[in-house]
């Protein structure tokens, strides 16, 4: 798809990445959406700042967090939002939003809070039982909520590519589209971190993390889904099937390249 | 600490009260209600889980008032603009029946309730995903006075929220989710078009479907189910509980043969359960952690099942402090679990952990 008007962003993974590739992008996303254990350390951020092209702006991405995660987010914000290293920050947790909204940079509503339905069976559900799945293509950004966002300084929302019924959105709201991996679900019962435990520990919240999940993703297959799921960290992704199927609405002015199995 | 149970008809109110419920919650389904791919304006589908319009809600509200039980209404989906208007109308029409509170996820609904001057309780559903003290302050400032804690907090993380200035509700029995409720995008039906319990017939949704769903035990029962409705038990399952084949991903995007790691992940994931979950062993810790309400995730279940779990929770709550330590208390809870569910207590069913 030809998208000359859209800036391209690269999601810097929480492991070594090749800075040479960053030159192809207009913006770098640094952080994590799904796991507070995978937030970068200040040293990680320093390395990105040192290696990136000087003119490339940075976005700080924050996940949903416990109180312990809030401490880490605050540490990053105090250091890197305060000095302008990041000019915007993505929040996926209303606690993070409350913590940072009075500070610096531009808040961006993360894709966990934009409430698209992302089941990979989306199309077949709608086609085969429309009476049961009405409004499945809703983007739950209703007018009242959007007004709340704008009143609170949020001018950008992060979205996945699904064939959403794009409804009214105000002109001063911009959108970013994540490609090609859509997240389907996420858990704190981290399968990887629980591997060393005895017995079936599927209900445990791991206390610690050695970032073992970054080693290699796993593929989940089942005939009901008709596509593979990729477990990376604590989150299941799928490569969306609609990436090039429909034109993006004009308010999408940024594409964020995501990785599920690099 | 108070116990909340779902209620699915007026006839259930006094039974649940006698079993030990202190408060009740429900959803309402009116013909045509649909939100976010779901036949309802709340996060459960159709008449199997919700009351049949305002008439039945009025009956339940009257019975709850007579029984002295506060009744909360779930309007906890996320709404596009057109659907939000319908949800607002439903909220406003229920006010005549004097509910005690609303359970919401969408910030727009929370703001609306306070904007129209609603003076009662507003709880943030697990869909609102309030995992930390700042999120609780955020919701309180918008008008919420209670938060249902996401199911995926450890006891230590719950304890860290003790001083958050809202009432805190913890789900301790019945359906558990492997994924984060508020951030999970899977539909619960596996097979195409299999939203059987979304029916608009009270009889089908409440009498037939719960029994059909229970026919998944033996091979003979599964065959009967297949004959009756043309679909096997998988139709009533959840995609998050699928028996996935799990294997490592190769660097070139291909799939490698299963290794020890993927086999262990498969055994953990395949062994997880979502039903008959229980966290009552940790009631003393929840009391000390400032939890004010215990919720039982029993919407759409039979009255017998609801009664059993409410009675179990009540007996456990009454027993807190009666034992000389954690070990005997937990032993008593395990016995109670067996009586309640006719099954052995298992780590996979634990809602909470130390």
């Amino acid at each position: 798809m030809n998208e000359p008007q859209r800036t391209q962003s690269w999601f810097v993974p929480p492991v070594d990445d090749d800075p040479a590739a960053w030159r192809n992008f207009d913006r770098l996303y640094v952080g994590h959406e799904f796991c507070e254990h995978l937030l970068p350390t200040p040293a990680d951020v320093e390395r990105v700042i040192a290696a990136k092209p000087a003119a490339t702006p940075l976005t700080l991405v924050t996940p949903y967090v416990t109180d312990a995660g809030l401490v880490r987010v605050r540490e990053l914000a105090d250091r890197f939002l305060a000095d302008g290293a990041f000019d915007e920050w993505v929040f996926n947790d209303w606690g993070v939003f409350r913590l940072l909204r009075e500070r610096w940079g531009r808040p961006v509503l993360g894709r966990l809070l934009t409430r698209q339905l992302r089941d990979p069976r989306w199309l077949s559900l709608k086609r085969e039982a429309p009476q049961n799945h009405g409004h499945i293509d809703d983007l739950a950004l209703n007018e009242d909520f959007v007004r709340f966002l704008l009143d609170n300084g949020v001018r950008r929302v992060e979205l996945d590519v699904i064939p959403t019924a794009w409804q009214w959105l105000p002109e001063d709201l911009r959108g970013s589209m994540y490609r090609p991996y859509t997240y389907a679900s996420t858990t704190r019962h981290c399968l990887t971190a629980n591997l060393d435990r005895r017995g079936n520990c599927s209900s445990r919240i791991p206390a610690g993390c050695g970032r073992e999940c970054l080693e290699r993703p796993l593929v989940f297959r089942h005939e009901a889904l008709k596509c593979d799921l990729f477990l990376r960290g604590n989150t299941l992704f799928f490569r969306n099937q609609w990436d090039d199927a429909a034109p993006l609405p004009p308010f999408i002015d940024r594409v964020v390249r995501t990785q599920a199995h690099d | 600490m108070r116990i909340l149970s779902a209620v699915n008809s007026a006839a259930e109110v006094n039974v649940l009260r006698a079993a030990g419920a202190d408060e009740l919650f429900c959803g309402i389904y009116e013909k045509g209600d649909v939100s976010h791919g779901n036949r309802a304006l709340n996060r459960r589908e159709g008449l199997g889980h919700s009351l049949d319009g305002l008439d039945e809600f009025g009956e339940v509200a009257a019975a709850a008032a007579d029984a002295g039980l506060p009744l909360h209404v779930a309007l906890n989906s996320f709404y596009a603009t057109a659907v939000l208007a319908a949800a607002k109308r439903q909220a406003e029409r229920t006010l005549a029946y004097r509910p005690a509170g609303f359970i919401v996820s969408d910030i727009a609904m929370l703001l609306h309730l306070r904007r129209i001057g609603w003076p009662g309780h507003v709880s943030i559903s697990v869909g609102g995903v309030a995992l930390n003290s700042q999120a609780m302050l955020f919701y309180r400032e918008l008008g919420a006075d209670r938060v249902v804690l996401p199911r995926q907090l450890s006891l230590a993380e719950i304890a860290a929220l003790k001083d958050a200035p809202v009432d805190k509700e913890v789900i301790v029995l019945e359906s558990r989710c492997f994924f984060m409720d508020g951030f999970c995008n899977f539909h619960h039906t596996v097979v195409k078009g299999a939203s059987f319990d979304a029916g608009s017939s009270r009889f089908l949704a409440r009498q037939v479907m719960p029994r059909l769903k229970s026919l998944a035990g033996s091979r003979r029962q599964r065959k009967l189910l297949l004959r009756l409705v043309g679909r096997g038990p998988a139709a009533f399952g959840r995609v998050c509980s699928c028996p996935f084949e799990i294997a490592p991903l190769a660097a070139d995007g291909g799939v490698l043969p299963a290794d020890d790691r993927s086999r262990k992940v498969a055994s953990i994931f395949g062994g997880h359960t979502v039903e008959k979950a229980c966290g009552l062993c940790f009631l003393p810790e929840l009391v000390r952690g400032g939890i004010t309400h215990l919720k039982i995730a029993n919407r759409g279940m039979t009255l017998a099942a609801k009664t059993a779990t409410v009675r179990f929770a009540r007996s456990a709550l009454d027993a807190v402090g009666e034992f000389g330590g954690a070990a005997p208390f937990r032993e008593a809870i395990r016995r109670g679990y067996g009586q309640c569910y006719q099954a052995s207590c298992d780590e996979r069913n634990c809602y909470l952990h130390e």
Side-chain angles (χ1 to χ4, degrees):
Chain A
M1 184 179 291
N2 184 21
E3 295 169 331
Q5 304 303 317
R6 297 195 169 99
T7 63
Q8 302 286 319
S9 297
W10 177 248
F11 217 122
V12 177
V15 287
D16 289 341
D17 196 25
D18 178 12
W22 300 351
R23 293 196 184 90
N24 300 323
F25 295 91
D26 307 301
R27 173 176 286 277
L28 296 177
Y29 276 41
V30 182
H32 209 272
E33 301 166 275
F34 304 102
C35 180
E36 63 189 52
H37 297 299
L38 296 180
L39 271 171
T41 64
D44 295 333
V45 176
E46 294 285 9
R47 276 194 293 276
V48 173
I49 291 171
K52 76 176 182 69
T56 305
L58 294 179
T59 299
L60 173 64
V61 183
T62 61
Y64 58 89
V65 293
T66 62
D67 271 17
L70 279 177
V71 173
R72 297 193 60 192
V73 169
R74 185 196 296 260
E75 182 184 21
L76 290 169
D78 283 348
R79 184 145 168 202
F80 297 107
L81 280 174
D83 71 4
F86 293 101
D87 64 353
E88 66 178 22
W89 44 279
V90 175
F91 64 96
N92 286 291
D93 184 302
W94 290 110
V96 171
F97 175 72
R98 186 182 185 278
L99 182 72
L100 300 187
R101 66 181 166 187
E102 302 299 339
R103 300 189 178 210
W104 310 272
R106 300 185 298 272
V108 176
L109 186 74
R111 60 176 169 163
L112 276 73
L113 297 179
T114 45
R115 308 298 187 181
Q116 296 167 287
L117 288 180
R118 297 163 167 100
D119 192 310
R121 301 162 299 164
W122 189 99
L123 280 180
S124 59
L125 285 171
K126 185 175 183 185
R127 187 168 54 240
E128 291 159 7
Q131 74 282 10
N132 289 353
H133 301 297
H135 293 278
I136 195 169
D137 49 0
D138 276 353
L139 183 61
L141 294 174
N142 57 64
E143 284 188 31
D144 292 14
F145 181 55
V146 169
R147 195 173 305 122
F148 171 82
L149 293 177
L150 295 174
D151 289 347
N152 284 276
V154 179
R155 299 281 187 276
R156 175 173 295 280
V157 296
E158 306 288 273
L159 299 162
D160 276 310
V161 180
I162 65 162
T164 298
W166 301 105
Q167 77 270 21
W168 168 87
L169 285 169
E171 284 185 2
D172 40 359
L173 193 69
R174 301 286 93 189
S176 311
M177 194 62 83
Y178 285 51
R179 287 179 158 170
Y181 290 99
T182 296
Y183 101 85
S185 199
T186 183
T187 179
R188 295 191 73 230
H189 300 308
C190 181
L191 284 160
T192 312
N194 272 328
L195 278 177
D196 294 334
R197 288 182 180 276
R198 285 184 182 174
N200 193 305
C201 40
S202 59
S203 64
R204 285 189 178 270
I205 307 294
C209 171
R211 296 187 165 195
E212 302 92 338
C213 61
L214 301 176
E215 184 183 320
R216 188 176 291 281
L218 296 172
V219 183
F220 281 47
R221 281 186 172 164
H222 189 275
E223 59 181 343
L225 282 178
K226 299 186 179 73
C227 73
D228 289 342
L229 298 173
F230 303 100
L231 177 73
R232 186 170 180 85
N234 60 346
T235 302
L236 284 170
F237 299 87
F238 64 97
R239 188 176 178 111
N240 72 65
Q241 308 148 49
W242 315 291
D243 206 12
D244 298 316
L248 295 180
F251 85 102
I252 302 293
D253 66 355
R254 181 185 295 176
V255 172
V256 183
R257 294 287 163 188
T258 56
Q259 310 127 85
H261 66 296
D262 297 300
Chain B
M1 193 180 281
R2 296 166 68 80
I3 296 170
L4 274 87
S5 170
V7 60
N8 288 85
S9 73
E12 292 184 349
V13 170
N14 281 317
V15 181
L16 293 170
R17 179 174 179 270
D22 298 302
E23 299 184 19
L24 302 172
F25 65 99
C26 65
I28 301 168
Y29 173 77
E30 296 176 278
K31 192 172 182 183
D33 282 352
V34 65
S35 64
H36 230 201
N38 185 33
R39 272 219 262 186
L41 298 175
N42 60 77
R43 285 164 65 92
R44 303 276 182 181
E45 287 225 310
L47 289 176
H49 296 94
S50 295
L51 302 178
D52 191 357
L54 285 187
D55 287 345
E56 189 175 32
F57 176 71
E59 295 166 12
V60 171
D66 288 346
L69 299 181
L71 177 63
H72 301 262
V73 181
L75 272 166
N76 56 346
S77 189
F78 291 95
Y79 309 108
T81 297
V83 188
L84 177 64
K88 286 177 178 176
R89 281 196 299 275
Q90 188 174 97
E92 290 165 14
R93 289 163 60 221
T94 63
L95 297 183
Y97 302 95
R98 299 174 182 266
F102 291 93
I103 306 165
V104 305
S105 297
D106 195 318
I107 285 172
M109 181 54 72
L110 169 59
L111 294 173
H112 176 72
L113 288 167
R114 292 314 184 199
R115 196 178 296 132
I116 63 174
W118 163 247
H121 297 290
V122 181
S123 301
I124 299 301
S125 164
V126 290
V129 199
L131 287 160
N132 56 65
S133 51
Q134 287 289 323
M136 292 185 183
L137 284 168
F138 170 81
Y139 283 122
R140 192 194 67 164
E141 288 162 0
L142 296 183
D145 61 349
R146 189 187 299 181
V147 167
V148 188
L149 296 186
R151 289 172 167 95
Q152 299 198 340
L153 284 170
S154 68
L155 281 170
E157 290 161 347
I158 290 172
L161 300 171
K162 183 175 183 182
D163 296 328
V166 288
D167 284 351
K168 290 174 286 292
E169 194 171 302
V170 168
I171 304 174
V172 288
L173 284 167
E174 296 290 16
S175 299
R176 181 173 77 84
C177 294
F178 184 77
F179 295 103
M180 296 284 291
D181 303 60
F183 295 143
C184 184
N185 300 287
F186 287 134
H187 259 269
H188 275 180
T189 51
V190 173
V191 177
K192 57 184 180 181
S195 290
F196 288 103
D197 57 350
S200 55
S201 155
R202 267 201 218 191
F203 177 72
L204 280 175
R206 298 182 186 175
Q207 303 302 320
V208 178
M209 290 317 303
R211 286 164 178 79
L212 284 178
K213 284 182 178 181
S214 70
L215 292 179
S218 70
R219 193 173 166 189
R220 190 174 161 200
Q221 286 175 331
R222 289 195 291 272
K223 282 176 72 175
L224 175 62
L225 186 65
L226 201 61
R227 212 172 74 197
L228 284 171
V229 297
R231 290 177 171 90
F236 308 103
R238 303 174 179 189
V239 72
C240 55
S241 306
C242 279
F244 284 102
E245 291 175 31
I246 301 176
L249 189 70
D252 63 0
V255 179
L256 298 169
D259 57 10
D260 287 348
R261 177 168 161 259
S262 62
R263 277 191 286 270
K264 180 75 188 288
V265 166
S267 75
I268 296 173
F269 191 80
H272 89 266
T273 60
V274 294
E275 308 299 345
K276 300 180 180 177
C278 174
L280 291 177
C281 276
F282 298 105
L283 269 182
E285 287 84 348
L286 295 177
V287 171
R288 287 198 295 275
I291 298 303
T292 54
H293 295 79
L294 298 178
K295 173 169 273 180
I296 304 175
N298 54 359
R299 276 181 70 186
M301 295 190 175
T302 63
L303 179 57
K306 286 195 195 87
T307 307
T309 48
V310 171
R311 196 173 286 141
F312 181 29
R314 172 53 61 195
S315 64
L317 197 53
D318 290 346
V320 171
E322 285 187 4
F323 292 85
F329 179 76
R330 287 175 191 174
E331 188 51 44
I333 293 298
R334 286 193 190 98
R335 284 197 300 274
Y337 182 94
Q339 290 164 6
C340 176
Y341 285 124
Q342 305 301 308
S344 300
C345 172
D346 186 295
E347 184 184 17
R348 289 174 300 175
N349 302 107
C350 286
Y351 248 123
L352 298 161
H353 288 282
E354 289 175 293

